[in-house]
Amino acid sequence: MTRCIRHAAAFCALLLLALLVNATRVQVVQSDSLDHNPANRRQAIVRFGQPRGDIVVDGRAVTGSKDTGEQLRYERTYKNGPLYAPVTGFASQVYGTSFLEEAEDDILSGTDPMLAPLPLWNDVTRAQNPGGKVVTTIRAPVQQAAYAGLGGKRGAVVAVEPATGKILALVSAPSYDPERLSGTSRPVADAWTELNGRPSRPMLNRAIRQTYPPGSTFKVVTAAAALDAGVVTDPDEPTKSPSPYTLPGTSTQLTNEVDGCTNASLRTAFVWSCNTVFAKLGVDTGLSAMVDTARNFGFNDRGLRIPSPVAASTFDTSLDKAQLALSSIGQYDTRATPLQMAMVSAAVANGGSVKSPHLVERTTTADGDVVDTTGTRTLRQAMNPGTAVRLREMMTEVVEKGTGANAAIPGATVGGKTGTAQHGVDNAGTPYAWFVSWAQGADDPEPSVAVAVVVEDASADRGDISGGGSAAPIAKAVMEAALSGGGPR
């Protein structure tokens, strides 16, 4: 009898040990996979069981949370949703997150371990911290000026601080209200279907996720390459540039929209945007030098984040001479985001140095204690400082007496470059109107803002569309807002 009891006790002990081992396996070894199993709703219940942290612009939250009393309790709310949608993105119980809501999700949701009062505290207690705050570099008056300037037209505006890379405005139009995607009701699904079905694609962030042919604004890059390579040593010397210019190896002739481009100097060609001069200049500079300079400005960089990922702007690395000629005037396969072209303008304004663009100034706990800050970082030196000085002079003349007169601001020094980019089959599409610029206030030692504007559907006859007519006035309004106190602080 005693022997049977011993065997039964041993068997029970083995069963208890097996239960402990299994509990350990489930709670420790498999905990992470079970936590993230799509069938486990506890994660979602916990995630939406507390208010989400806020995204802050100019000291004010542009997001909030609403207690619905439902199982997924707190829904995201947005103030001036369409104005800030390209910055915030959306946070939806059904469709996930985008842009800053996605890139800074750990901070906003409270899951970032840096929000815990002690190291490994959350791992031990399984507690969730209150959502932290994301303080952006956006300046409300600059953002508002960009949004109002586009007026609902398809396009985008980006404004940056040249010396630091801080993004002061990031606008894409048409826009949408991200609050329509908060919640789990039928209207949320209807809104998702309707927004994704619109031909105007309001949920596309044209500022950082759409690339366009940059047209003549790319001539800033071509001029920098030619000056750095020594192909042009004096911007005022005549160039050997016929008009029209026959593309190498073809019978295709490239023409100009203005007169006086035959053998024009680099300065004249830049101010009046002579296609023939810059197409030949790109060929004379050579593919290798053009590719290197474009890369230094940020083209062909597939890893750029602000912290949301940015679509790569591209300059083809394998071109024949005819293709190189067209690429050098921002056509053929050359593509750029508005953010990239703002970086080009900022590099000219900042002595040739390209600063890493960023949208987040700092992240904090719910109580305001700093978790992380974004410092100024140099990405590359796009050109020699002396070349940047020459380009600043030429961009200033574009505004003072050339195609960019509509961007002039009384009492400020403004530099710019217009662009009209052809696209579509046989260039039949409505041209994109571009303008890139920078501005320096009367009391500022250096330019304090650089801007890029692209308008897809300028409200003008095809023959009248130009960056100077459609995009330059928008850039002017944005620069004025930045210079009048809406800029860096």
Side-chain angles (χ1 to χ4, degrees), residues 5-50:
I5 292 174
R6 285 201 305 268
H7 288 171
F11 182 67
C12 289
L14 286 173
L15 290 177
L16 179 61
L17 180 61
L19 287 172
L20 290 174
V21 169
N22 187 60
T24 302
R25 178 180 64 85
V26 171
Q27 295 183 20
V28 178
V29 178
Q30 293 185 330
S31 63
D32 190 63
S33 62
L34 292 173
D35 279 345
H36 295 91
N37 189 312
N40 183 5
R41 285 183 58 80
R42 289 184 59 82
Q43 282 286 86
I45 292 170
V46 171
R47 176 182 178 83
F48 296 105
Q50 68 175 19

Side-chain angles (χ1 to χ4, degrees), residues 453-471:
V453 178
V454 63
V455 181
E456 293 183 23
D457 54 347
S459 56
D461 293 334
R462 178 182 170 87
D464 296 332
I465 293 172
S466 69
S470 300

Side-chain angles (χ1 to χ4, degrees), residues 67-329:
D67 188 351
T68 65
E70 302 292 334
Q71 188 178 56
L72 302 182
R73 183 171 173 180
Y74 286 92
E75 294 181 1
R76 195 58 150 164
T77 61
Y78 295 88
K79 300 171 185 175
N80 296 318
L83 173 63
Y84 292 111
V87 176
T88 63
F90 60 81
S92 169
Q93 283 95 330
V94 179
Y95 300 108
T97 54
S98 66
F99 302 118
L100 274 189
E101 294 277 27
E102 178 180 19
E104 298 291 350
D105 182 64
D106 288 350
I107 290 288
L108 296 168
S109 65
T111 59
D112 193 309
M114 295 300 292
L115 296 172
L118 296 171
L120 303 179
W121 178 257
N122 288 0
D123 292 339
V124 175
T125 65
R126 305 288 287 179
Q128 185 174 13
N129 301 300
K133 297 178 182 178
V134 175
V135 181
T136 71
T137 58
I138 295 293
R139 298 291 172 258
V142 186
Q143 183 83 357
Q144 290 161 0
Y147 187 77
L150 281 173
K153 297 185 181 73
R154 298 187 194 184
V157 180
V158 178
V160 301
E161 184 182 11
T164 64
K166 291 181 179 180
I167 298 174
L168 308 179
L170 189 77
V171 170
S172 175
S175 189
Y176 71 103
D177 186 356
E179 192 167 332
R180 295 181 64 191
L181 302 178
S182 298
T184 58
S185 63
R186 179 67 189 182
V188 172
D190 292 342
W192 178 263
T193 301
E194 185 254 321
L195 289 170
N196 281 287
R198 285 190 202 172
S200 60
R201 303 175 71 191
M203 295 178 69
L204 170 65
N205 192 330
R206 290 168 163 84
I208 63 172
R209 295 284 176 86
Q210 179 67 37
T211 60
Y212 303 87
S216 291
T217 59
F218 190 80
K219 291 172 183 174
V220 176
V221 178
T222 302
L227 288 165
D228 273 358
V231 175
V232 174
T233 55
D234 183 350
D236 295 305
E237 284 291 319
T239 59
K240 296 179 180 179
S241 306
S243 180
Y245 171 60
T246 303
L247 298 179
T250 75
S251 58
T252 302
Q253 291 190 325
L254 185 66
T255 59
N256 298 292
E257 298 294 328
V258 295
D259 296 327
C261 290
T262 302
N263 299 327
S265 67
L266 176 64
R267 188 184 304 275
T268 298
F270 192 92
V271 171
W272 296 105
S273 206
C274 296
N275 288 332
T276 53
V277 174
F278 277 91
K280 184 175 183 297
L281 200 58
V283 174
D284 292 344
T285 301
L287 179 61
S288 178
M290 285 295 299
V291 168
D292 287 346
T293 301
R295 184 181 294 117
N296 288 339
F297 274 102
F299 285 79
N300 298 332
D301 181 354
R302 301 189 181 279
L304 183 64
R305 303 180 70 90
I306 63 168
S308 301
V310 179
S313 299
T314 55
F315 185 84
D316 204 331
T317 58
S318 56
L319 301 166
D320 62 30
K321 289 185 176 181
Q323 294 165 343
L324 177 58
L326 293 175
S327 297
S328 299
I329 59 172

Side-chain angles (χ1 to χ4, degrees), residues 11 220 298 344 389 484:
F11 182 67
V220 176
V344 168
V389 171
S484 64

